Amino acid sequence: MSMTTIAPEQVNSIIRNQHQDPFEILGSHQIEKDGKKVWVVRAYLPNASAAWVVLPEERKEQEMQSVHDPQFFECIIDTQELTNYQIKVKEGDSERVFYDPYAFRSPKLTEFDLHLFNEGNHHRIYEKLGAHSTEIKGVKGVYFAVWAPNARNVSVLGDFNNWDGRKHQMRKSSDVGVWELFIPELQVGEHYKYEIKNAAGHIYEKSDPYGFAQEVRPKTASIVTDLDTYQWDDRDWMEKRRHTDQLSAPISVYEVHLGSWLHAGTNEPHKLPNGEVEPVVAVSELKTGARFLTYRELAEKLIPYVKELGYTHIEMLPIAEHPFDGSWGYQVTGYYAPTSRFGSPEDFMYFVDQCHKNEIGVIVDWVPGHFPKDGHGLAFFDGTHLYEHADPRKGEHKEWGTLVFNYARHEVRNFLTANALFWFDKYHIDGIRVDAVASMLYLDYCREPGEWVTNEYGGRENLEAVEFIRSVNHLIFSYFPGSLSIAEESTSWPMVSWPTYTGGLGFNLKWNMGWMHDMLDYFSMDPWFRQFHQNNLTFSMWYHHSENFMLALSHDEVVHGKSNIIGKMPGDRWQKLANVRCLFGFMFAHPGKKTMFMSMEFGQWSEWNVWADLEWNLLQFEPHQQLKTFFQDLNQLYRSQPSLYTQDFEEPGFEWIDCSDNRHSVVSFIRRDKNSEDFIVAVCNFTPQPHSHYRIGVQQPGFYTELFNSDAREYGGSNMGNLGGKWTDNWSMHNQQYSLDLCLPPLGVLILKLDRNKTAEVIKQE
């Protein structure tokens, strides 16, 4: 039966993929014919030689006719209602039956959703955009939605349509620029992309910006994923976190790159029944057959290791999907997808769940400052500069070869804001460390004069980025109290870790980059010269209370020719190891939370190599075993002494005893507990010269137990110390009535604590 209800140009707009609302042409439409209302069903079916409309409830088929094109079919159905029809097609020698996507018009995005997204305030937009398994009109399938406002057309591509963009053309649902389509009968696990055409008809095949999973590199398709099937078992941890003041809690972070901590198929360390470490063979490069550990294997190996060492948190270099292993994860293409290198999203949920069961928090590095130019990613997404600035003076980091997000655009800001919340919501992470904050704050970051544009007031501050950062942090702590938001900010920008209501950026911690540089400069010099650089040890306390600082010795300090920590130290091997113990002993006694990179805990000699394992073979040698024991005991001491963490950021929590003894390169200070009268005394000798009678002043008389000595024999030290502790003398020193006569070990850190019970008992006897 010939039809006259559709014009050739309308058919051509579908065939040429030029119609922004294919629902106007395709699918079922009620029309009037011969004074009677009937239904017409139209379908564009490339590769089909014949087609029929199937009415399952009536158990009948009606043949469709070609109209204006051999693959454009339609037919009139004389019925009052037409619901849940199917289409049968003949393609070559095969036939198949499917539900017509264009029969499902119910949008998942409401007008309110679009309004919130358009103004940048849809905090759960990841539940609307992207690919979502759902059910419409009793038919299960997958709903796709993508923001591409400047595209001429958008189609869904996948294995299910042979990656043919003609078959599943999407509808532009609003002026906001969101395209959507429900494809019935698709299931979780389908691979897909978006085919996007710009005004000139140029085609871009893009992964889903909101996709929850991607194929393993080098493939780049997104994967339909359901994130709500995993059964979490961390309710107690999450409830405890809600009521925890992180600033007065112990935070000792083990920073790890999952891809190079250990590989499967290589020799790896494990303990023999007698507690000794079995000798293993060094792995300098990946061996044939080596592969990444999965998230579940990492849960079995990494979590017990970190727990044994006593760290409170694991911080992972970015685990969002990225195409190049050598980028360490900092060039992200899938912001909503944990990298498939190590397994599925559910596998990563299991890893986090197991961390929480073992009382270990999870911090993820987050990269909202820039993104790579890979063709399947966000760059030039809809044929225009959508996520990035069009002006390269604003939109490109030439030093990194990456693009800068346009924080002034509401939808881009919404993409990033919701992404930060997403990791807390769906994956129960406990914190983020925001990478390269300085690159976001300054318009002239790594740019020469003439290569950047001022803000509206003529300044160098990126005002839109500042407001974005404040908004993200405000929302994180509003939705997820007890969480961490840590800034890697390398400049003197004020109030980075102050609350937003005071005008701060809203982070609750900031990496202390100044302390890091001062310490590494100081420890790299020959101890004789340290007497002239006492300021390196003391300067941090001049500004410490301006921010909530985290002391970090991170991955950045052990790559690119910088040597590993032990390699930076002067002297012979014994002195190098003693210097490492001295550095970290001072670090854990100093106010501020702690972060250190993997391999430092056992004294790896070589730089971190992203392509290889850590040098686990070193643990067959006693000095490296002893260093690992040192870190176990140091973490145990730190977590057991509230004086070392409850007042990290309050002035009463720290007091110098003597910071001016540069002749001996010794400093001594007090750390006080916030909730009791307890305090500890730290004395640090930064030279190989021991001091048998070194006197420091203390406020209270009694017996001071030596809680910790970095020069102990079990750590590989010379075992000089104070035989378990010292009684005070009535000898005034450092403006105090009492003093301690101590033996300071070479390159050693002593931690002492007043034993109130023993002191009281002796006083009572007297």
Side-chain angles (χ1 to χ4, degrees):
M1 182 184 297
S2 62
M3 289 291 300
T4 59
T5 60
I6 185 167
E9 54 269 21
Q10 291 177 296
V11 174
N12 288 336
S13 68
I14 296 296
I15 294 172
R16 295 172 182 173
N17 202 346
Q18 294 179 339
H19 204 298
Q20 295 195 340
D21 187 2
F23 283 83
E24 291 184 359
I25 307 295
L26 303 175
S28 58
H29 302 267
Q30 195 169 42
I31 64 172
E32 188 170 312
K33 181 174 177 59
D34 300 329
K36 182 180 179 182
K37 289 186 176 180
V38 296
W39 289 87
V40 60
V41 176
R42 305 189 189 101
Y44 178 45
L45 305 169
N47 306 323
S49 58
W52 296 262
V53 174
V54 179
L55 304 175
E57 295 180 1
E58 301 179 19
R59 297 185 178 182
K60 70 175 186 178
E61 300 177 358
Q62 188 163 328
E63 187 174 4
M64 304 181 76
Q65 306 295 323
S66 296
V67 178
H68 303 307
D69 185 271
Q71 273 79 49
F72 191 95
F73 297 88
E74 66 179 0
C75 72
I76 291 178
I77 300 175
D78 189 357
T79 182
Q80 293 297 315
E81 293 186 8
L82 183 63
T83 58
N84 287 8
Y85 67 88
Q86 295 174 304
I87 294 177
K88 183 173 77 172
V89 299
K90 182 177 182 181
E91 297 171 331
D93 295 329
S94 63
E95 292 183 352
R96 61 188 180 95
V97 178
F98 57 89
Y99 284 100
D100 184 3
Y102 300 99
F104 298 86
R105 301 172 182 269
S106 301
K108 189 178 179 70
L109 280 154
T110 66
E111 289 297 323
F112 188 54
D113 288 324
L114 295 169
H115 169 76
L116 290 176
F117 178 59
N118 188 228
E119 67 177 18
N121 290 323
H122 200 310
H123 303 153
R124 300 175 74 92
I125 190 62
Y126 50 84
E127 294 184 345
K128 301 292 184 174
L129 295 182
H132 300 274
S133 181
T134 188
E135 183 177 306
I136 298 179
K137 296 181 180 180
V139 178
K140 294 181 179 180
V142 177
Y143 172 85
F144 297 89
V146 62
W147 178 58
N150 303 305
R152 189 191 76 185
N153 298 93
V154 181
S155 299
V156 184
L157 304 175
D159 296 329
F160 47 86
N161 62 16
N162 294 319
W163 301 89
D164 189 336
R166 300 172 297 171
K167 294 182 178 180
H168 288 103
Q169 302 175 35
M170 304 179 78
R171 167 176 59 185
K172 190 174 184 180
S173 62
S174 71
D175 293 336
V176 176
V178 172
W179 300 74
E180 61 181 0
L181 183 66
F182 173 75
I183 303 181
E185 301 178 295
L186 289 192
Q187 299 178 354
V188 168
E190 293 281 1
H191 295 182
Y192 71 98
K193 281 187 178 182
Y194 296 115
E195 179 186 271
I196 298 175
K197 291 184 179 180
N198 67 3
H202 298 156
I203 296 176
Y204 305 87
E205 291 189 4
K206 296 289 187 177
S207 302
D208 190 346
Y210 291 86
F212 294 152
Q214 284 191 10
E215 293 180 290
V216 179
R217 81 241 175 293
K219 296 183 178 180
T220 57
S222 300
I223 303 174
V224 177
T225 306
D226 186 351
L227 298 183
D228 297 324
T229 58
Y230 183 79
Q231 298 298 311
W232 288 92
D233 192 24
D234 64 348
R235 180 176 298 179
D236 292 343
W237 169 274
M238 299 294 282
E239 185 63 22
K240 179 182 176 182
R241 191 186 75 185
R242 288 184 66 247
H243 302 286
T244 299
D245 175 13
Q246 299 292 352
L247 297 184
S248 60
I251 297 178
S252 175
V253 180
Y254 185 76
E255 186 191 28
V256 61
H257 176 259
L258 297 182
S260 57
W261 184 74
L262 180 69
H263 291 83
T266 61
N267 294 314
E268 55 192 82
H270 69 274
K271 286 190 175 180
L272 299 173
N274 62 5
E276 296 180 357
V277 176
E278 183 180 22
V280 295
V281 179
V283 180
S284 58
E285 297 291 341
L286 288 185
K287 293 185 176 181
T288 302
R291 62 166 177 81
F292 290 127
L293 295 175
T294 66
Y295 292 118
R296 291 179 183 267
E297 290 171 332
L298 285 161
E300 295 176 3
K301 297 178 183 293
L302 176 60
I303 293 174
Y305 181 78
V306 171
K307 187 175 183 179
E308 177 191 23
L309 287 169
Y311 291 95
T312 64
H313 291 73
I314 294 173
E315 177 186 332
M316 292 172 284
L317 273 62
I319 54 94
E321 194 61 82
H322 51 282
F324 178 49
D325 295 354
S327 76
W328 310 343
Y330 289 100
Q331 296 200 5
V332 178
T333 52
Y335 274 81
Y336 286 82
T339 178
S340 55
R341 288 168 175 79
F342 314 120
S344 69
E346 189 170 279
D347 293 337
F348 181 58
M349 292 177 183
Y350 175 83
F351 176 84
V352 176
D353 208 7
Q354 291 301 308
C355 283
H356 290 171
K357 286 183 180 180
N358 286 276
E359 300 292 314
I360 296 173
V362 176
I363 301 170
V364 172
D365 280 14
W366 187 52
V367 192
H370 62 114
F371 59 93
K373 300 177 181 179
D374 296 69
H376 67 282
L378 298 177
F380 216 63
F381 186 78
D382 64 354
T384 67
H385 297 283
L386 187 64
Y387 285 89
E388 70 273 22
H389 289 276
D391 188 338
R393 295 175 299 173
K394 290 185 177 181
E396 185 174 359
H397 280 311
K398 292 185 178 180
E399 182 182 32
W400 299 336
T402 55
L403 302 174
V404 181
F405 284 103
N406 182 354
Y407 306 107
R409 189 154 196 170
H410 300 319
E411 298 89 347
V412 173
R413 192 171 63 249
N414 201 147
F415 170 81
L416 291 170
T417 300
N419 182 244
L421 301 175
F422 165 83
W423 290 101
F424 288 95
D425 176 25
K426 296 297 185 181
Y427 289 99
H428 291 203
I429 68 165
D430 302 286
I432 56 173
R433 190 212 60 129
V434 183
D435 178 63
V437 173
S439 73
M440 302 168 65
L441 295 176
Y442 298 99
L443 294 166
D444 63 345
Y445 184 84
C446 288
R447 292 184 174 93
E448 299 296 329
E451 294 181 350
W452 60 282
V453 181
T454 66
N455 62 34
E456 59 186 298
Y457 303 107
R460 58 196 284 255
E461 300 80 13
N462 190 332
L463 303 179
E464 293 85 2
V466 170
E467 288 307 308
F468 160 70
I469 291 170
R470 286 174 174 161
S471 175
V472 168
N473 284 324
H474 172 74
L475 291 170
I476 286 174
F477 298 124
S478 297
Y479 284 117
F480 307 101
S483 298
L484 293 169
S485 181
I486 307 164
E488 185 212 8
E489 203 287 307
S490 55
T491 72
S492 58
W493 187 283
M495 302 167 66
V496 171
S497 58
W498 289 38
T500 55
Y501 59 79
T502 66
L505 292 183
F507 295 97
N508 54 2
L509 289 170
K510 172 185 174 177
W511 274 13
N512 192 336
M513 310 295 280
W515 178 89
M516 178 270 294
H517 286 296
D518 286 345
M519 287 303 98
L520 295 183
D521 287 346
Y522 183 83
F523 274 90
S524 65
M525 58 179 82
D526 186 285
W528 188 86
F529 292 101
R530 292 176 182 175
Q531 62 186 307
F532 307 112
H533 298 273
Q534 188 86 347
N535 187 55
N536 283 47
L537 298 172
T538 62
F539 181 62
S540 60
M541 290 311 302
W542 281 98
Y543 62 84
H544 177 77
H545 295 98
S546 65
E547 298 280 3
N548 302 328
F549 281 116
M550 173 172 274
L551 310 182
L553 293 170
S554 73
H555 63 279
D556 281 327
E557 311 318 315
V558 294
V559 290
H560 303 324
K562 298 178 184 177
S563 179
N564 214 311
I565 290 295
I566 192 171
K568 301 177 191 290
M569 303 300 171
D572 58 21
R573 188 179 70 169
W574 188 94
Q575 289 195 27
K576 288 179 182 293
L577 287 164
N579 269 299
V580 171
R581 297 193 301 271
C582 189
L583 166 60
F584 283 100
F586 178 59
M587 174 183 180
F588 274 69
H590 190 288
K593 308 308 180 186
K594 328 297 178 188
T595 292
M596 56 174 284
F597 189 54
M598 63 183 192
S599 79
M600 295 180 185
E601 76 276 9
F602 61 82
Q604 178 165 310
W605 289 94
S606 64
E607 289 187 339
W608 169 46
N609 181 356
V610 71
W611 307 107
D613 287 356
L614 302 185
E615 292 184 331
W616 295 110
N617 64 297
L618 293 175
L619 284 173
Q620 66 185 293
F621 303 112
E622 186 178 28
H624 297 277
Q625 295 176 23
Q626 292 170 328
L627 186 59
K628 180 184 173 187
T629 301
F630 165 81
F631 278 101
Q632 288 176 277
D633 291 353
L634 185 60
N635 271 310
Q636 183 180 6
L637 171 78
Y638 171 65
R639 298 176 69 167
S640 67
Q641 297 299 318
S643 299
L644 291 174
Y645 59 79
T646 55
Q647 292 198 95
D648 274 321
F649 313 114
E650 300 173 27
E651 292 192 20
F654 176 89
E655 180 184 348
W656 286 115
I657 295 174
D658 185 8
C659 63
S660 58
D661 187 7
N662 62 296
R663 186 168 67 90
H664 296 101
S665 296
V666 173
V667 297
S668 52
F669 52 89
I670 295 172
R671 297 292 309 279
R672 292 189 178 87
D673 180 24
K674 183 177 184 179
N675 304 310
S676 73
E677 295 182 354
D678 284 350
F679 63 92
I680 63 98
V681 173
V683 189
C684 310
N685 176 17
F686 296 99
T687 72
Q689 176 64 49
H691 304 290
S692 58
H693 293 284
Y694 191 91
R695 190 169 292 275
I696 63 167
V698 291
Q699 293 177 340
Q700 298 185 35
F703 184 79
Y704 283 76
T705 301
E706 188 176 270
L707 296 178
F708 188 81
N709 182 345
S710 70
D711 190 52
R713 179 181 288 112
E714 55 264 37
Y715 308 145
S718 61
N719 209 38
M720 295 185 68
N722 297 277
L723 300 177
K726 279 293 186 74
W727 286 95
T728 54
D729 299 317
N730 289 324
W731 185 341
S732 62
M733 190 76 179
H734 297 134
N735 296 318
Q736 304 298 333
Q737 183 177 349
Y738 310 98
S739 62
L740 289 168
D741 181 8
L742 298 173
C743 173
L744 299 190
L747 295 170
V749 174
L750 301 178
I751 304 293
L752 303 107
K753 182 179 181 180
L754 177 64
D755 187 332
R756 298 183 185 277
N757 293 331
K758 188 171 185 176
T759 301
E761 182 179 339
V762 171
I763 293 175
K764 184 178 179 180
Q765 291 175 353
E766 292 177 351

